[in-house]
Amino acid sequence: MGLKVGGSLNAVRLDQSYSALNVSQNYKSTVGYQFGGSFYYFLNSNLALRGNILKGGTSINHTMTSDELWEKTYIENLTFMNYTLGAAKYFDVKPKVKAFVGADAGVLTLSGSNVTVNSTNFTPESFKVDTKDALNDRNKIQPNFTFLVGTPLELERGSFDIELGYSYFINNTIVAETRMEDIDFILDSQYINDDIKLGLISLNFVYSLPINYRIGK
């Protein structure tokens, strides 16, 4: 068992835009974090079952710009727990150097969603900020699959793993039925939520110690 810490890059996947305006818009990749515990059970020297319990955070950054007239930036900060189970296959790259590939299936549970919409007018100059707690409008349970590669470094005591992964999410972040419920916020901020899915690219570092040694011939 071990401790895992790392960072993530959120590459949002857009399913459907609900902007009523024909303007330039894009979703920017944003940096997040995760930390928690990892657990491994080795069936043999090259195949392990694995599990993770991770607390983390990420954000969504959507920018809309009308040519030299105004700009609107939507930022949503999300906090979550992610529970995963999977397997990893280890193989030798060269003497004393190993690598692994694996896959996890998991469930992310949202614990927080805070939205800020910054509206800027260039002519005449003005700036407006709208905020809300959007957790009740979000899918709090989001199934996901993670595909990963990495390398384990054997230490005198324990192991240090470097792990690169991509998490594919199935659900949209927003509950479609609630999209138009907070009409006051929509009229005030002039922003309607799109149908988007998270897509987390993560780099993690794991330090683990064995619970039990088994030595055989």
Side-chain angles (χ1 to χ4, degrees), residues 58-184:
T58 188
S59 62
I60 298 166
N61 189 324
H62 184 196
T63 300
M64 305 169 64
T65 304
S66 180
D67 294 341
E68 299 182 357
L69 295 177
W70 56 264
E71 181 177 84
K72 194 176 295 293
T73 302
Y74 170 96
I75 299 172
E76 180 174 358
N77 292 314
L78 301 168
T79 54
F80 58 81
M81 295 292 295
N82 198 20
Y83 308 90
T84 66
L85 290 173
K89 174 70 173 177
Y90 293 75
F91 54 91
D92 294 322
V93 177
K94 57 183 181 179
K96 296 186 178 181
V97 177
K98 278 195 169 187
F100 62 86
V101 296
D104 296 336
V107 174
L108 180 146
T109 59
L110 283 181
S111 56
S113 169
N114 295 299
V115 170
T116 301
V117 179
N118 297 316
S119 303
T120 304
N121 286 320
F122 303 128
T123 54
E125 290 186 7
S126 66
F127 184 76
K128 183 171 177 292
V129 179
D130 297 283
T131 62
K132 69 174 292 188
D133 181 348
L135 184 60
N136 290 333
D137 304 332
R138 301 297 180 261
N139 281 305
K140 297 183 180 67
I141 297 178
Q142 299 193 25
N144 59 88
F145 295 97
T146 300
F147 308 95
L148 53 100
V149 297
T151 182
L153 307 175
E154 294 298 328
L155 305 177
E156 183 176 344
R157 184 171 177 81
S159 174
F160 181 77
D161 295 1
I162 302 171
E163 179 183 290
L164 180 66
Y166 174 72
S167 298
Y168 179 91
F169 285 77
I170 298 173
N171 286 2
N172 289 328
T173 61
I174 187 170
V175 178
E177 291 77 12
T178 67
R179 190 189 320 278
M180 303 298 294
E181 277 192 355
D182 194 349
I183 195 67
D184 291 335

Side-chain angles (χ1 to χ4, degrees), residues 10 12-13 27 40 46 59 81 100 104 116 142 201 213:
N10 184 12
V12 167
R13 294 161 24 233
Y27 280 89
Y40 303 84
N46 294 319
S59 62
M81 295 292 295
F100 62 86
D104 296 336
T116 301
Q142 299 193 25
I201 302 169
Y213 281 106

Side-chain angles (χ1 to χ4, degrees), residues 15-69:
D15 275 357
Q16 175 69 47
S17 175
Y18 287 88
S19 172
L21 304 171
N22 184 20
V23 296
S24 173
Q25 57 178 316
N26 67 84
Y27 280 89
K28 298 179 181 179
S29 297
T30 55
V31 175
Y33 68 92
Q34 61 271 333
F35 63 89
S38 287
F39 310 89
Y40 303 84
Y41 180 78
F42 282 85
L43 301 174
N44 55 50
S45 61
N46 294 319
L47 182 63
L49 303 178
R50 44 180 276 141
N52 297 283
I53 300 176
L54 299 176
K55 181 177 178 61
T58 188
S59 62
I60 298 166
N61 189 324
H62 184 196
T63 300
M64 305 169 64
T65 304
S66 180
D67 294 341
E68 299 182 357
L69 295 177

